[in-house]
Amino acid sequence: MSRDDVPAWLNEPEFESETQQTQQSQQEPKQTQRQTQRGGRSKKHRPLPVSQDGRIELQIYKGDPVRAIDEIDTILHGRGVPIFVQAGRLAMLTPIQLPEQTLHFYRECPTHAPPGYAIVPLNSAKLMCIYGENILMTQYDGRAGEALPIDPPERLAAMHLARDKWPYAPVRSVASHPILTYDNVLIDTEGYVAEAQVYIAPGAAIPTVPTAPTQGDARAAYDVLMEPFSEFPCKEPGDWAAIAAAILTILHRFTTAGQRPLFLVTSSTRGTGKSRLANLIGTIATGIEPHGDSPTDDPDEEKKRMLAYALAGKHVLCFDNIADSLGNAALDAILTQSSISGRVLGATRVVEGDNKFVLFATGNNPAIAEDTRRRTVEIRIDSGEERPENRNFTRSWSELEAFVAKNRPALLTAAFTILRAHTLAGKPRISRSRLGSFEAWDDTIRQAVIWASGDDPCHRQATAANQAIPELATLFSALLESFPAFKEFTVRDIITKASNSSNLRDAIGELKGYIVRGNEINAKALGKAIAHFNERTVDGHQLLSRPSRTGVLCYRLAKVTATTPPEVPEQEF
């Protein structure tokens, strides 16, 4: 086998023996002259030839991979190959195979195609395929005396992926719906939206939105948007408003600053329709059902999973059928942070993904962690029947799916009409309160829904915020029985009193953290729990603390009202 028969990259100096390197150095002047005669390494720009099959011809020179990659980028970018930069890596807009159920859904509506596209990271093999489809690579063959076609070099593709700068646009995800920009401009054409860093995929439903809608138009649009949900047994009008807020949140997630709350669909009985309600919300907004998953109690696993979803561009997720509880530190951070970072599985590099998640969860009276509850908007449905799965409906589920498929453009029109009308009106605030940590979402989505419907989607969240969690209310009540208002006590005092008070002992036992084990109360665990409740207010009493001269924390319960600060006794505290 001669040197001309092996791949070009094997001929590079690092793969040659010392003797071969010496021979090559002696032949270099002749080779350089040959390259000059055929155009060689001249930096002068020349139009690249086009092969008979329409590919761009590109000659690859040994020892100059950077120049080759630069020319490849220029060719691919110029030919409009849908390559983007996502989370510091190359990715491509790629068709995906949708489930038969989703395809059946779209057969009912021939006016628009299913949103079967995703942003997929590129590897060396896929990049080589892209080279082969768009570029005819050649390399000079000494025996033939001319440049001959070669297969795309795998090492060149690996070097291409390893670069940290590319001439491609950054992208967050693929949108299957129009985008309403910060300037209230509706972009409804297929292609890349630079302002939102989103690609509107082929087949996205295109609504016709009035250019100057009024509040009356918004109210009429709200009724249209709620029509598919007419047979879901929402418990209060605010629950209907929360459904509308969920749809608007998905549609406006790329251009709304800040983060978005979690939407929790609850009921008291199985078979009420929680999962179908969440699926219908996602289908109207994106054209497909939310990606379903199960919650986990492991914060590290939760973070890894959400990072994977962020990098895959799957931003609408549903934790379905919560069996026990929902909430941990990782989930709370995801609901309030603008990005998610972590290490890629099997590699040492750290990547960062944009947090544009809209999260759903469903469950029968699930227990929600305290910090997660304030980040949650609840949608409550209740049929009032013992076996709700046996109810009769005007439309079957398949008929409802067909209705949404046929009328999705009109439903999107209604949703964007509400958003545009509220913005043109100056984003009036109807509710004086603002949902903490989600101020931008409150101004844009919550206030728009209240303005259009007259109902607050956060009515349950606001009520929950004014109510103490049951175990905390029980603890405060038991402490007041043992320690009247203003009387100081330590953790050791609580344990001593609990030995003679079954109410106090039971209240301590309800706290999380395995504080009571058998007949013993763990003083360290109880101290952490009491410190966590410092300055909390329950039923008109607030827990306050101060360090004693010996450094031990002393607590007391002080009376408070909604308009006055806690009462301070005459003695120094």
Side-chain angles (χ1 to χ4, degrees):
M1 179 185 295
S2 67
R3 288 174 54 84
D4 293 319
D5 294 327
V6 301
W9 59 268
L10 288 177
N11 291 328
E12 294 187 8
E14 63 178 285
F15 295 100
E16 297 173 342
S17 66
E18 184 176 349
T19 303
Q20 291 173 329
Q21 293 181 24
T22 303
Q23 294 174 351
Q24 181 176 346
S25 63
Q26 295 172 351
Q27 298 174 359
E28 187 64 25
K30 183 177 180 181
Q31 184 176 358
T32 303
Q33 181 180 5
R34 242 189 353 253
Q35 291 170 343
T36 303
Q37 292 174 352
R38 66 176 187 268
R41 301 174 182 263
S42 172
K43 299 293 183 179
K44 185 176 180 180
H45 176 73
R46 304 181 312 280
L48 294 172
V50 180
S51 64
Q52 294 182 353
D53 58 6
R55 293 181 294 172
I56 302 296
E57 293 186 15
L58 177 64
Q59 188 168 346
I60 305 299
Y61 298 105
K62 183 176 66 176
D64 199 359
V66 174
R67 176 194 176 194
I69 293 174
D70 288 339
E71 292 183 341
I72 290 171
D73 278 334
T74 300
I75 293 172
L76 297 180
H77 190 266
R79 288 173 69 93
V81 179
I83 296 178
F84 300 91
V85 177
Q86 184 193 50
R89 58 184 185 174
L90 286 181
M92 185 176 184
L93 180 68
T94 306
I96 58 175
Q97 182 64 40
L98 293 173
E100 177 60 29
Q101 181 180 0
T102 303
L103 295 176
H104 173 74
F105 172 91
Y106 276 92
R107 293 191 189 104
E108 303 292 335
C109 182
T111 59
H112 57 287
Y117 289 84
I119 296 294
V120 179
L122 292 177
N123 53 30
S124 296
K126 180 62 178 176
L127 197 56
M128 290 169 63
C129 292
I130 296 174
Y131 291 168
E133 293 170 355
N134 295 274
I135 303 171
L136 177 60
M137 294 186 177
T138 62
Q139 194 168 47
Y140 183 77
D141 188 295
R143 292 180 303 178
E146 61 179 343
L148 299 179
I150 61 171
D151 293 333
E154 182 178 359
R155 186 171 181 179
L156 195 66
M159 294 176 66
H160 196 173
L161 292 174
R163 301 186 91 178
D164 57 358
K165 292 183 180 180
W166 302 277
Y168 308 107
V171 69
R172 290 171 171 159
S173 183
V174 178
S176 56
H177 54 76
I179 298 295
L180 191 64
T181 68
Y182 299 103
D183 300 328
N184 208 25
V185 176
L186 188 71
I187 301 178
D188 55 3
T189 56
E190 174 190 335
Y192 179 73
V193 182
E195 184 175 356
Q197 295 185 3
V198 173
Y199 191 92
I200 299 180
I206 307 300
T208 303
V209 180
T211 56
T214 64
Q215 186 176 15
D217 295 329
R219 289 172 176 169
Y222 177 82
D223 293 337
V224 171
L225 189 60
M226 290 295 98
E227 205 283 332
F229 304 93
S230 59
E231 294 191 77
F232 283 91
C234 289
K235 197 169 182 64
E236 296 181 13
D239 296 317
W240 302 101
I243 293 174
I247 297 174
L248 299 189
T249 299
I250 297 175
L251 295 176
H252 213 29
R253 67 191 184 279
F254 294 116
T255 50
T256 299
Q259 300 311 113
R260 295 144 297 281
L262 179 146
F263 291 91
L264 175 63
V265 186
T266 67
S267 69
S268 60
T269 312
R270 292 176 295 179
T272 310
K274 301 177 296 298
S275 300
R276 286 188 169 181
L277 176 59
N279 289 340
L280 195 62
I281 291 172
T283 300
I284 290 174
T286 67
I288 57 177
E289 295 179 355
H291 182 79
D293 208 334
S294 300
T296 175
D297 294 330
D298 186 349
D300 293 334
E301 180 63 27
E302 188 78 77
K303 183 177 180 180
K304 293 177 184 177
R305 181 170 59 176
M306 299 306 290
L307 175 62
Y309 286 140
L311 296 179
K314 295 180 179 180
H315 291 141
V316 184
L317 309 176
C318 181
F319 301 129
D320 202 13
N321 292 322
I322 301 170
D324 187 12
S325 61
L326 176 69
N328 53 50
L331 179 60
D332 294 340
I334 289 168
L335 291 171
T336 52
Q337 294 179 353
S338 60
S339 62
I340 304 174
S341 60
R343 186 172 62 87
V344 177
L345 185 63
T348 57
R349 67 188 183 98
V350 175
V351 298
E352 183 175 288
D354 283 321
N355 182 359
K356 290 298 179 182
F357 287 114
V358 179
L359 302 181
F360 292 84
T362 68
N364 297 315
N365 295 331
I368 308 300
E370 184 180 1
D371 287 339
T372 305
R373 180 165 292 280
R374 76 168 188 85
R375 296 169 167 88
T376 300
V377 174
E378 184 178 357
I379 304 171
R380 183 76 172 177
I381 56 177
D382 185 5
S383 66
E385 299 182 12
E386 183 178 355
R387 300 185 63 85
E389 66 274 15
N390 294 332
R391 289 173 296 162
N392 293 321
F393 297 93
T394 305
R395 289 179 296 206
S396 66
W397 178 246
S398 60
E399 290 173 339
L400 182 58
E401 285 184 315
F403 173 84
V404 171
K406 182 177 181 180
N407 295 279
R408 182 170 177 250
L411 296 171
L412 290 180
T413 299
F416 282 112
T417 298
I418 296 172
L419 289 171
R420 173 171 281 180
H422 184 249
T423 301
L424 292 177
K427 292 187 176 181
R429 290 196 59 81
I430 309 301
S431 172
R432 294 182 180 179
S433 64
R434 186 180 262 118
L435 190 59
S437 302
F438 306 102
E439 291 81 2
W441 176 88
D442 192 296
D443 293 340
T444 305
I445 304 298
R446 179 190 179 191
Q447 299 302 323
V449 173
I450 298 175
W451 185 70
S453 68
D455 299 313
D456 186 359
C458 295
H459 72 294
R460 293 188 181 277
Q461 204 276 350
T463 301
N466 295 327
Q467 296 175 347
I469 57 176
E471 58 266 28
L472 186 54
T474 303
L475 176 65
F476 275 32
S477 177
L479 288 174
L480 284 171
E481 291 179 3
S482 302
F483 307 100
F486 301 132
K487 184 176 180 180
E488 293 183 343
F489 54 88
T490 65
V491 172
R492 181 57 57 187
D493 294 333
I494 296 176
I495 295 176
T496 301
K497 286 284 187 179
S499 62
N500 299 318
S501 172
S502 59
N503 288 340
L504 182 56
R505 185 178 181 84
D506 292 342
I508 295 173
E510 291 182 7
L511 299 177
K512 297 179 180 179
Y514 302 101
I515 298 173
V516 179
R517 292 177 178 270
N519 294 324
E520 298 294 328
I521 296 178
N522 188 317
K524 185 176 181 179
L526 178 59
K528 288 183 177 180
I530 296 297
H532 178 71
F533 297 137
N534 189 38
E535 298 186 356
R536 287 293 302 271
T537 301
V538 178
D539 296 334
H541 288 84
Q542 186 178 44
L543 182 68
L544 300 176
S545 67
R546 72 169 181 86
S548 66
R549 294 180 180 178
T550 59
V552 177
L553 281 178
C554 296
Y555 295 93
R556 67 182 175 86
L557 287 168
K559 294 181 179 179
V560 295
T561 64
T563 58
T564 61
E567 298 178 10
V568 179
E570 294 180 0
Q571 68 267 27
E572 182 181 356
F573 185 77

